[in-house]
Amino acid sequence: MKKYKYTAVNINKKKFSGIYLAENETHLAKELAKQNLFLISAKVHTDNPSMTLLNYGNKIKMRELTTFCRQFAIMSNSGMSIIETLIVLKNQDYAKFFKLIIEQVYEDVKSGLMLSAALDKHKGQFPNFFKSMIYVGEQSGQLELVMNSLADYYEKDAELKRKTKGAMAYPIMLMVLTLGILVIMMAFVIPKFKENLAKLDVEMPGITMAIYNMSDYFIANWYYILGGVIVVVILLKLYGKTESGRYFYDTLKLKIPLIKKINIMRITSRFARGFSLLLSSSMDLVDAMDEISVVLGNKNVEKRFKLATDDVRQGMSLTMALQSYKLFPDILIEMISVGERTASIEEVLNRSCNFFDEQANNAISSFTSLIQPIMLVIMGGVVATLFIAIYSPMLSIMTGLG
């Protein structure tokens, strides 16, 4: 099938143009004739080059995708067709990049493609979970229900991400402030004290000499230190983009005591909400497990979950498979066990979503209440050490004068 840009006329010789998917021009002419249109000219249509250029470095914002799902569901519920809905949505106040994508999706759907197939053409722009759910919605005839469920899912997920980032903001700010104080003291304050105290015949304590030496080294080599820090940060970021690096960082997130519980609860909440959504759309259990693995957001958990999926495919129960790889908290495993016995896994998971959201919120609150005093102690320790190092010689002088 090729995409043709055509010009045609109706019986009143009124011109129409558009894009249509057809095997060849003969097939295109037949399809247009069914709509009482007569083909005048046609040529193979290539994608908009501006769209190709925009693809680089652009991503659809999750907030816009959530709004798209919600608006799509509302218009579908009101009886509008998919094409009519896309006509309205492509004129909404989205970012230019997203509007161009919706425009292309609209043209593809108008030319005969299914919505899921049109979305699938934009590799890397739409989440795999989103595209899978759209396909399930089309096949089951419940697209508007799926769109509403997706909007709920992404709103809850975005809320958890926002709270997690908020919890991390304060300790990061304190860390930056501590480093700022340290740099200012090393570069400006300590050299002045050293210069003035050098004129006096006073013995310097060991801690003072150590700080003086650190200050001298920092001033003499600050550009090397700064360059080294930048290089290390870049290398760590590049490593994090590799498969092994992502796996290593995601494993650390499950090991570090202060953030371990936050990540586990976030993953559990995401799994419970997404898996119940897939199952409620009449998707097969193993197929649902294949689709949900990409939503977990942690390579370590994803790897173990795929092993559990293989076990279920071989005939093992879902409860036993999840329990074998210690993927989720015991309470979720028990809920799933009850769901399997009563043939209502999706209902059990759907009811448990809010519980795990609350657990994730509690974990974030606990992290905030613990990290704040720890960072304050570290900051106070750095300032106190510098204070003692600087003022020890002055106290020695005052004692001598006394």
Side-chain angles (χ1 to χ4, degrees), residues 8-277:
V9 294
N10 63 7
I11 196 169
N12 298 317
K13 296 184 179 180
K14 183 178 179 181
K15 281 191 176 183
F16 293 87
S17 61
I19 297 171
Y20 204 92
L21 206 66
E23 294 177 1
N24 48 48
E25 289 192 28
T26 304
H27 179 232
L28 174 63
K30 288 181 180 178
E31 291 298 316
L32 291 175
K34 292 177 183 178
Q35 303 175 40
N36 296 319
L37 294 175
F38 303 95
L39 181 65
I40 296 176
S41 64
K43 62 179 180 179
V44 176
H45 176 72
T46 54
D47 289 331
N48 188 349
S50 63
M51 187 67 208
T52 305
L53 290 173
L54 278 171
N55 272 328
Y56 294 99
N58 281 285
K59 282 285 184 183
I60 297 172
K61 295 178 181 177
M62 200 53 64
R63 175 177 52 81
E64 289 190 325
L65 186 59
T66 304
T67 305
F68 174 84
C69 292
R70 187 72 71 197
Q71 291 177 337
F72 195 105
I74 291 170
M75 285 183 275
S76 294
N77 280 327
S78 68
M80 293 175 67
S81 68
I82 293 177
I83 291 179
E84 290 172 332
T85 300
L86 289 172
I87 289 173
V88 176
L89 288 173
K90 70 189 181 73
N91 294 315
Q92 295 300 303
D93 189 25
Y94 294 120
K96 183 179 179 181
F97 175 66
F98 192 30
K99 288 180 75 170
L100 282 171
I101 287 182
I102 298 174
E103 178 73 38
Q104 286 201 347
V105 169
Y106 162 72
E107 294 292 348
D108 287 333
V109 172
K110 190 175 74 167
S111 67
L113 280 182
M114 297 285 285
L115 177 60
S116 55
L119 293 171
D120 196 48
K121 292 178 67 174
H122 300 275
K123 304 294 183 185
Q125 300 302 336
F126 293 98
N128 290 334
F129 177 70
F130 172 80
K131 291 185 289 186
S132 297
M133 288 304 302
I134 297 300
Y135 176 77
V136 170
E138 285 181 319
Q139 296 301 313
S140 62
Q142 297 181 313
L143 187 57
E144 64 277 3
L145 180 63
V146 166
M147 282 292 193
N148 254 329
S149 299
L150 281 170
D152 292 337
Y153 171 83
Y154 286 124
E155 281 172 1
K156 289 289 185 181
D157 195 53
E159 185 181 352
L160 273 179
K161 285 180 181 177
R162 190 164 53 249
K163 288 182 178 179
T164 304
K165 287 181 180 179
M168 294 298 296
Y170 185 73
I172 290 173
M173 183 189 69
L174 285 180
M175 188 182 298
V176 171
L177 185 59
T178 302
L179 288 173
I181 291 172
L182 192 58
V183 168
I184 291 171
M185 294 294 287
M186 290 289 184
F188 302 104
V189 178
I190 292 174
K192 286 292 182 183
F193 271 91
K194 181 182 178 183
E195 182 183 337
N196 291 327
L197 290 173
K199 300 172 185 177
L200 303 174
D201 185 19
V202 59
E203 185 179 353
M204 299 293 175
I207 188 172
T208 303
M209 289 305 300
I211 295 296
Y212 282 175
N213 292 335
M214 287 173 63
S215 176
D216 291 340
Y217 182 83
F218 179 79
I219 292 171
N221 300 282
W222 67 268
Y223 36 89
Y224 294 119
I225 296 171
L226 180 61
V229 170
I230 292 173
V231 168
V232 168
V233 170
I234 292 173
L235 288 175
L236 289 175
K237 282 199 167 188
L238 291 175
Y239 178 60
K241 291 182 179 180
T242 64
E243 195 69 27
S244 59
R246 178 75 184 277
Y247 183 84
F248 176 72
Y249 289 158
D250 284 347
T251 302
L252 279 182
K253 291 176 184 178
L254 302 175
K255 301 288 185 183
I256 299 174
L258 287 177
I259 64 171
K260 174 182 175 181
K261 190 174 181 181
I262 293 176
N263 284 292
I264 289 174
M265 288 304 166
R266 277 186 61 188
I267 293 166
T268 303
S269 173
R270 189 176 292 157
F271 166 77
R273 180 166 280 106
F275 200 56
S276 66
L277 183 56

